[in-house]
Amino acid sequence: MDGLSTVPPDQERARVDRGKLGSISDFITPQHKRTAKMLGYTLFLGDASSYGRLSTIARHRLSLAERGGLACAFLGSMPEDCAVQAAATVLGAAGDPLPPFLGGMEDARHWASWATDAERKAYALACYEAMTPRDQAAFFGHISTVEVA
């Protein structure tokens, strides 16, 4: 037990003094216990506002690494298409652009204002690749003259 245990020394002494190994719940932090209880309440209620409150509680009671681990575990438990949709919802993805109704540029700019960086990059590259070589050259000429901040 000398230096090999991950249990804090004071808890290790208490465990040894009792003459038996304590249960794991003896070593779970109070904030983890309260978070687990909040998860149970959220699952029982099952509504959007409860999940929002759980997110707020997790932000205050859990480390970034703990929240990331839970996010990976939960997303990993879902079918890929559902996991992608859940992540896109959280990240505020704009989804596919709508067909232009009033004018292509106005609609495209509106969509781009809501899209994530990944969406904008993916659609920009796909659109560029779909252009004719002449249009690609014209587009390259246009973006080459734009001043980059």
Side-chain angles (χ1 to χ4, degrees), residues 76-144:
S77 72
M78 302 168 74
E80 184 178 348
D81 59 330
C82 294
V84 168
Q85 182 61 43
T89 299
V90 170
L91 297 174
D96 297 335
L98 297 172
F101 294 109
L102 302 174
M105 282 307 294
E106 183 178 333
D107 291 334
R109 285 188 176 110
H110 179 72
W111 175 85
S113 71
W114 290 97
T116 64
D117 284 343
E119 288 174 315
R120 285 190 291 268
K121 290 175 184 178
Y123 279 99
L125 180 59
C127 290
Y128 179 79
E129 290 173 345
M131 291 178 183
T132 65
R134 182 177 175 174
D135 286 342
Q136 286 179 348
F139 179 74
F140 184 76
H142 172 73
I143 63 171
S144 295

Side-chain angles (χ1 to χ4, degrees), residues 39-107:
L39 173 61
Y41 294 150
T42 300
L43 293 171
F44 173 75
L45 294 171
D47 59 10
S49 63
S50 297
Y51 284 101
R53 286 191 292 272
L54 177 61
S55 179
T56 301
I57 294 296
R59 192 176 308 116
H60 288 90
R61 291 186 182 158
L62 302 177
S63 70
L64 183 59
E66 291 166 336
R67 287 179 279 144
L70 288 171
C72 289
F74 288 132
L75 287 173
S77 72
M78 302 168 74
E80 184 178 348
D81 59 330
C82 294
V84 168
Q85 182 61 43
T89 299
V90 170
L91 297 174
D96 297 335
L98 297 172
F101 294 109
L102 302 174
M105 282 307 294
E106 183 178 333
D107 291 334

